[in-house]
Amino acid sequence: MSSGARILVLVLVGSGSLWGQVAQSHPTRSTPLSQPAQHNQLLKYLTKYGYLPAPSDGNALDYTSLLPSAIQEFQDMARLPKTGELNEDTITMMSQPRCGVQDWTRSRWRRFLHSGSKWRKHSLTWKISSFPDHLSSSQVLVVFKDAFKTWANITNLYFEYRSAGVVDIEIKFLTGDHGDGYRFDGKGGVLAHAFYPPDPFTKTRLSFGDLHLDASETWTLNTNDDGENLYNTVLHEIGHSLGLKHSNAPGSVMWPWSADSAASQHTQAKLSSDDIIAVQSLYGEKTSNRYEKSENSHFLCRMHVDALLTTPNNKIYSFNGATVTELNSTTLEPVFGSQLISEVFPGFESDDSVDAAVSYKGFWPYEASYLFVGHQYYRYSLNTSDNQMTLDIGYPKNISLGWGFNESHFDSVYKYGGGNTPVFVKGLKYWMHTGTSHGPYWNYPKMLSMSPNLFLNSLAGIDAAFLHKNGTNYFLSDEHAYLLHHDDIMDTKNLQQLC
């Protein structure tokens, strides 16, 4: 597995054989480690989780002077009294089921931590590719849908289940060595691991966001049953898939000992204020109901869309954050999973999302596709030899140079059916463009409310729009999607509201 994919491993540390007789010592007294095996286990634990430095270049280290501060740091993470002494409470915490990623970052503690990456879109797809033997697929699906919904309820995220195809988050129940370098070790050991979201600067596809669970575990659906509570574990792992590290706040789903401790196995986990603040700091507070649309509703109704585009070869693309998704021209459902924009539109290097997109011919001998990002735009031509988009030489350029007016950050750019005049929309204003470097027509901008089109003048802005090859326009406005036929644009009977 490439080093570009960062992983978190949920691991069980056995409480009986690991510490032996030491676990019986008094909780308030320092415990002498008289047996070398016990001492070595302590060093191994504290080194594994980052409280002690690992030996470098094969040179052994004298840990004697480092142990008290390392134990104190562990106690701080575990929210125990910071005595710096190995007492029974400390040993008990070291013996609890926990997540295997390092705790200590050698930096100032925050109550929650981010991985440094996040999804650059608000709509994520997921599927389960394999299931445990002792639970039905329908039982497992219900658990995952509930867990995803828990996160979606408090932030602007939508999770769409798919039964097949390429997705953002792939979930598997696996055993042993399963090819990602982080093998499962059977019942009672490693429970699960999850990958962080993709780094926007990493152009290759890895296992970003994926979630693996050990199929050897006895996963339970009821909090009264013995075994590993599936919902609690999944809720924790999804947090990692969204970009959250562990929190040192007890009660947090992202606390290392929260989702899988013996005490919480018989309690349904709930997101704490710490978890809510953490995920909202990445994806914002919940402000829209778009992400709660029925899974049976139209794709344009249930997914966040930054821009829409029909290319010269009549392919339809939906832009969302740093990704783009090809849509079926008939159903407008995804053909494949999301791809990085640069994979479909080579040379696209902006860290910002696409504001608007349109294909337009103008006075050129061929039609080109334009992606607008902030103050700049990219122009792509269709390479007829391989049917791929190619960035034209000299791009990106400033909008003021190529389009002749000093505006930027458009909400949408589109063409009406049957015409070739691009319309630029920003807020409640719109511009009819001449199609040349002279810019818009002299009497623009105008307010949408002044549009001669009885449909457009009722909209509170246009978030995204595109012209279908059949001559109809699709518009997204606020939380609604519309289809407009062009037999007569003055006749609102030709308007179809999709949601």
Side-chain angles (χ1 to χ4, degrees):
M1 187 186 69
S2 169
S3 60
R6 291 159 292 171
I7 193 169
L8 297 129
V9 181
L10 197 64
V11 62
L12 279 171
V13 183
S15 59
S17 60
L18 178 62
W19 300 102
Q21 297 178 357
V22 176
Q24 305 302 319
S25 59
H26 194 276
T28 60
R29 290 192 308 223
S30 174
T31 301
L33 296 177
S34 57
Q35 299 181 22
Q38 296 170 351
H39 187 266
N40 289 338
Q41 290 286 5
L42 174 64
L43 296 182
K44 182 179 178 180
Y45 184 96
L46 294 175
T47 302
K48 177 178 180 178
Y49 294 109
Y51 297 98
L52 287 173
S56 58
D57 300 324
N59 297 322
L61 295 175
D62 180 7
Y63 289 108
T64 305
S65 61
L66 301 177
L67 269 177
S69 61
I71 293 173
Q72 190 175 49
E73 290 167 358
F74 172 84
Q75 290 169 333
D76 186 40
M77 178 59 169
R79 294 300 187 192
L80 296 172
K82 294 184 289 185
T83 64
E85 298 176 344
L86 190 65
N87 53 43
E88 185 174 339
D89 287 343
T90 303
I91 293 174
T92 298
M93 287 304 298
M94 288 182 174
S95 301
Q96 289 296 312
R98 56 150 298 148
C99 198
V101 71
Q102 285 193 354
D103 298 326
W104 188 245
T105 61
R106 301 291 171 185
S107 62
R108 183 177 180 86
W109 279 114
R110 291 179 291 169
R111 291 184 65 82
F112 62 83
L113 293 170
H114 297 147
S115 66
S117 62
K118 71 172 187 176
W119 296 98
R120 291 173 59 83
K121 55 184 178 179
H122 288 269
S123 300
L124 300 174
T125 55
W126 63 278
K127 70 177 181 181
I128 304 178
S129 299
S130 58
F131 295 83
D133 294 333
H134 61 285
L135 294 175
S136 69
S137 59
S138 59
Q139 288 176 314
V140 175
L141 275 173
V142 168
V143 171
F144 274 89
K145 287 183 178 181
D146 286 347
F148 277 114
K149 185 177 180 181
T150 297
W151 287 105
N153 282 341
I154 48 87
T155 192
N156 280 326
L157 288 172
Y158 174 83
F159 301 98
E160 179 189 11
Y161 168 71
R162 294 183 186 171
S163 60
V166 180
V167 294
D168 297 310
I169 301 174
E170 184 173 8
I171 299 155
K172 296 179 181 179
F173 286 81
L174 303 162
T175 59
D177 186 354
H178 49 278
D180 63 4
Y182 297 87
R183 71 182 309 275
F184 289 133
D185 52 6
K187 187 175 181 180
V190 176
L191 294 179
H193 53 244
F195 293 83
Y196 285 128
D199 185 318
F201 299 104
T202 301
K203 302 301 182 184
T204 57
R205 282 194 165 196
L206 301 166
S207 298
F208 293 123
D210 289 354
L211 200 161
H212 298 165
L213 299 99
D214 191 347
S216 300
E217 301 292 344
T218 303
W219 296 106
T220 66
L221 305 176
N222 193 316
T223 55
N224 294 322
D225 295 337
D226 292 330
E228 305 302 333
N229 186 282
L230 181 61
Y231 175 83
N232 290 357
T233 301
V234 169
L235 193 66
H236 175 96
E237 292 300 327
I238 291 175
H240 290 319
S241 295
L242 298 181
L244 301 186
K245 280 189 173 183
H246 291 139
S247 166
N248 66 335
S252 166
V253 164
M254 300 313 299
W255 194 46
W257 296 276
S258 174
D260 296 278
S261 66
S264 70
Q265 285 295 78
H266 301 290
T267 304
Q268 189 87 328
K270 297 180 180 180
L271 298 181
S272 69
S273 58
D274 188 79
D275 304 317
I276 294 172
I277 292 171
V279 74
Q280 288 181 348
S281 69
L282 290 176
Y283 303 103
E285 297 182 20
K286 191 169 189 66
T287 58
S288 171
N289 291 325
R290 170 176 291 179
Y291 311 106
E292 295 180 349
K293 298 294 182 182
S294 167
E295 293 181 10
N296 296 322
S297 64
H298 198 284
F299 173 82
L300 298 180
C301 301
R302 67 180 186 264
M303 302 299 281
H304 176 81
V305 175
D306 293 325
L308 294 163
L309 172 70
T310 302
T311 57
N313 57 346
N314 289 321
K315 288 188 175 182
I316 302 171
Y317 290 100
S318 167
F319 295 85
N320 185 341
T323 64
V324 63
T325 304
E326 183 182 351
L327 306 182
N328 181 283
S329 61
T330 302
T331 65
L332 294 185
E333 289 292 322
V335 176
F336 305 108
S338 300
Q339 297 175 270
L340 291 172
I341 295 175
S342 59
E343 293 180 305
V344 181
F345 296 88
F348 185 87
E349 298 179 347
S350 176
D351 294 334
D352 297 321
S353 58
V354 173
D355 296 325
V358 69
S359 290
Y360 173 68
K361 181 177 180 181
F363 294 99
W364 292 94
Y366 56 86
E367 189 175 38
S369 295
Y370 298 84
L371 308 184
F372 297 87
V373 184
H375 296 273
Q376 294 185 312
Y377 72 101
Y378 294 73
R379 191 180 77 189
Y380 286 88
S381 299
L382 181 66
N383 189 330
T384 55
S385 63
D386 60 6
N387 209 33
Q388 301 297 312
M389 303 303 294
T390 302
L391 181 64
D392 290 343
I393 297 175
Y395 289 87
K397 291 183 178 180
N398 287 331
I399 294 174
S400 59
L401 297 178
W403 292 88
F405 60 129
N406 293 316
E407 289 290 340
S408 62
H409 297 90
F410 293 104
D411 294 330
S412 61
V413 182
Y414 65 94
K415 295 184 304 181
Y416 273 124
N420 195 41
T421 300
V423 180
F424 290 73
V425 179
K426 182 177 181 179
L428 298 178
K429 298 184 295 185
Y430 75 103
W431 292 259
M432 298 288 289
H433 204 278
T434 61
T436 70
S437 59
H438 296 298
Y441 288 102
W442 66 271
N443 54 340
Y444 286 85
K446 293 182 179 180
M447 303 300 292
L448 282 175
S449 58
M450 298 174 59
S451 170
N453 188 316
L454 298 181
F455 159 61
L456 290 180
N457 63 28
S458 65
L459 296 183
I462 300 175
D463 301 322
F466 78 99
L467 175 64
H468 196 279
K469 65 180 181 180
N470 63 13
T472 58
N473 275 107
Y474 286 82
F475 296 93
L476 300 185
S477 178
D478 195 12
E479 297 179 5
H480 303 288
Y482 303 90
L483 169 61
L484 182 64
H485 300 277
H486 285 280
D487 297 331
D488 181 0
I489 64 173
M490 295 296 293
D491 188 354
T492 57
K493 289 185 296 184
N494 290 314
L495 172 66
Q496 177 184 353
Q497 183 171 339
L498 302 176
C499 60

